[in-house]
Amino acid sequence: DCVGYALPNDEIKLAAGWHIEQCGFKGKRIGHTGAHAKQALVLVNYGGATGAEVFACAQQIQQEVKLKFDVCLDMEVNIL
């Protein structure tokens, strides 16, 4: 039942946003951070969150997706 998109090389790219949403993170706030209410792939600093808090939120989402679907999400950001 996972949402994915066929690639030309006969592989399937899974929809990370769908997986995050299925884990209940879409619109969920975790302290001063969370996943956007309209796009689960977007993490939000609602004010006052440190970079470490945003990173911890991302890691929590990764862990939940791994536990529920056995899918490892890669971050597509540069962490400085």
Side-chain angles (χ1 to χ4, degrees):
D1 293 337
C2 293
V3 174
Y5 308 94
L7 299 175
N9 60 0
D10 293 328
E11 291 182 349
I12 297 174
K13 179 177 181 173
L14 297 176
W18 180 88
H19 287 81
I20 294 167
E21 186 174 342
Q22 296 304 304
C23 289
F25 285 102
K26 185 176 181 180
K28 182 177 180 178
R29 290 178 76 150
I30 303 168
H32 294 103
T33 68
H36 195 279
K38 294 184 179 181
Q39 175 50 270
L41 282 173
V42 176
L43 297 186
V44 179
N45 179 340
Y46 290 102
T50 64
E53 289 173 296
V54 176
F55 186 67
C57 176
Q59 289 180 310
Q60 183 178 347
I61 291 170
Q62 286 178 308
Q63 290 168 359
E64 291 294 324
V65 170
K66 175 69 173 159
L67 285 172
K68 186 167 184 167
F69 296 104
D70 198 26
V71 169
C72 296
L73 297 179
D74 291 329
M75 290 189 204
E76 295 182 346
V77 298
N78 294 320
I79 299 170
L80 305 175

